[in-house]
Amino acid sequence: MNVPLEIVLFAFLIVAAIVAIQARDLLTAVVTLTVFSFLTALVEVVMGAVDVGFTEAVVGAGITGVFFVVAVHHTERDSAD
């Protein structure tokens, strides 16, 4: 266990979550959620669950991120700002 590295990664996770929640642009939110998922995979690898981290990186940061980006590009920009 590498506790200082885990603490730094958890801090980045919190920052990524806050940025994703407060993002006004959908593409920014999707990219930030993809970064969050990749950071989660890194935390899992550091904690020793390499297979779970690999699966999270492929599914969470890879496939889901691509699906979200495609979905965002198929939406129309109609803002009430």
Side-chain angles (χ1 to χ4, degrees):
M1 271 178 34
N2 195 351
V3 177
L5 180 60
E6 291 176 14
I7 291 172
V8 169
L9 288 173
F10 280 128
F12 282 134
L13 277 172
I14 292 170
V15 169
I18 291 170
V19 169
I21 289 171
Q22 293 183 347
R24 304 226 359 112
D25 184 36
L26 288 178
L27 191 58
T28 304
V30 167
V31 169
T32 309
L33 285 174
T34 304
V35 169
F36 181 87
S37 183
F38 185 71
L39 287 170
T40 303
L42 285 176
V43 168
E44 292 164 348
V45 168
V46 168
M47 295 177 93
V50 178
D51 54 341
V52 178
F54 180 73
T55 304
E56 177 68 26
V58 170
V59 175
I63 297 170
T64 306
V66 170
F67 283 156
F68 280 156
V69 168
V70 169
V72 166
H73 282 292
H74 284 291
T75 60
E76 294 180 8
R77 276 195 193 263
D78 188 23
S79 177
D81 292 329

